[in-house]
Amino acid sequence: MLAVLAICGVASAKDTASIDAISPLTPPCDPARAYCFAVQLHVAQTADGLVVPPAWIANQLAIANQHFAPLDVGFQIAGVQVAPPGTEHVRTRAQRNALGSAVTGRVIHVFVTAQLENVDQSTTPVFGVAWRVKQRKIIILSAKSWDRTLAHELGHVFGLPHSTYPISIMNKTPREEPARETRTFADEEVAAMGPGMKRLLRSKVIENLARRRD
Ligand SMILES: [Zn+2]
């Protein structure tokens, strides 16, 4: 029975409740933001339920909103759905690419998996990735990721590479200083994301929901 459910991608009653619990925990964009972008969530599930609790997702969104405030950007949830079967363990490039079939609309797609494997030669664990499919980047987040991983991957979506700024959440070098709690995007990175965002808007990968309020 479970196998049938998994193949059909149908959530159990319990998991439907979990899916439904995510959106109410995540507020719409702060009305003060000049830009508001929608995020479509695809959350993997196993026989034990969703791979992360609703509060885990709400926390990732809230932290992303904090780090993007200097760019005057906010994020809100467009919708939440169960990710395609198999998404609970993303091992290969082919699996990452296949997620593109679920990608439509002018929203940022975020897939949440229990485990995300490296697809290059590196042996470092992978907590998240911004993966190019269909002329855009989707985000795949591991349930094992840091609470700032979504913000980091959104930085990639907005065009940032990894950096060496000590303050930056795009700097992957292990370091003591500055303290982890104080790290965010470097001023130079905030400036660089502006043109990156404009490119995404021009190419209709995303749309600014804040403009609808005018
Ligand atoms: Zn990265």
Side-chain angles (χ1 to χ4, degrees):
M1 187 59 185
L2 279 174
V4 172
L5 286 173
I7 288 165
C8 299
V10 176
S12 68
K14 173 171 165 277
D15 296 324
T16 302
S18 296
I19 284 277
D20 291 345
I22 294 170
S23 286
L25 291 177
T26 61
C29 290
D30 182 337
R33 299 278 84 86
Y35 298 92
C36 172
F37 301 119
V39 170
Q40 180 71 29
L41 288 166
H42 309 255
V43 187
Q45 73 170 350
T46 67
D48 297 327
L50 297 182
V51 296
V52 292
W56 185 95
I57 291 171
N59 190 48
Q60 290 273 351
L61 253 295
I63 288 172
N65 276 317
Q66 286 170 18
H67 290 291
F68 276 82
L71 190 60
D72 216 0
V73 163
F75 301 98
Q76 67 184 28
I77 288 184
V80 187
Q81 62 197 96
V82 176
T87 310
E88 69 275 7
H89 190 173
V90 177
R91 298 175 175 85
T92 64
R93 289 173 188 273
Q95 267 184 299
R96 294 183 182 186
N97 290 338
L99 297 176
S101 63
V103 169
T104 57
R106 293 164 71 174
V107 300
I108 297 166
H109 289 264
V110 176
F111 296 81
V112 183
T113 177
Q115 192 165 339
L116 178 60
E117 304 294 347
N118 225 319
V119 293
D120 56 31
Q121 300 308 313
S122 167
T123 55
T124 54
V126 183
F127 297 129
V129 68
W131 188 249
R132 184 166 288 284
V133 292
K134 289 186 176 176
Q135 316 300 318
R136 68 163 85 197
K137 285 179 180 165
I138 61 170
I139 293 173
I140 310 172
L141 281 186
S142 165
K144 299 169 182 169
S145 67
W146 301 104
D147 56 6
R148 292 165 198 202
T149 302
L150 177 59
H152 173 102
E153 302 306 338
L154 284 166
H156 287 314
V157 171
F158 281 63
L160 293 183
H162 291 141
S163 74
T164 54
Y165 300 110
I167 193 71
S168 179
I169 59 173
M170 301 308 289
N171 181 347
K172 294 176 72 176
T173 307
R175 58 201 187 282
E176 300 275 310
E177 299 287 336
R180 187 175 291 278
E181 316 82 69
T182 64
R183 296 179 201 167
T184 186
F185 293 114
D187 291 343
E188 294 87 341
E189 291 171 322
V190 173
M193 282 195 284
M197 175 179 68
K198 300 272 166 53
R199 277 195 296 277
L200 294 173
L201 284 165
R202 268 202 310 275
S203 56
K204 302 192 188 314
V205 169
I206 54 175
E207 69 175 322
N208 182 13
L209 301 177
R211 293 184 66 185
R212 290 183 178 174
R213 296 196 295 254
D214 295 342

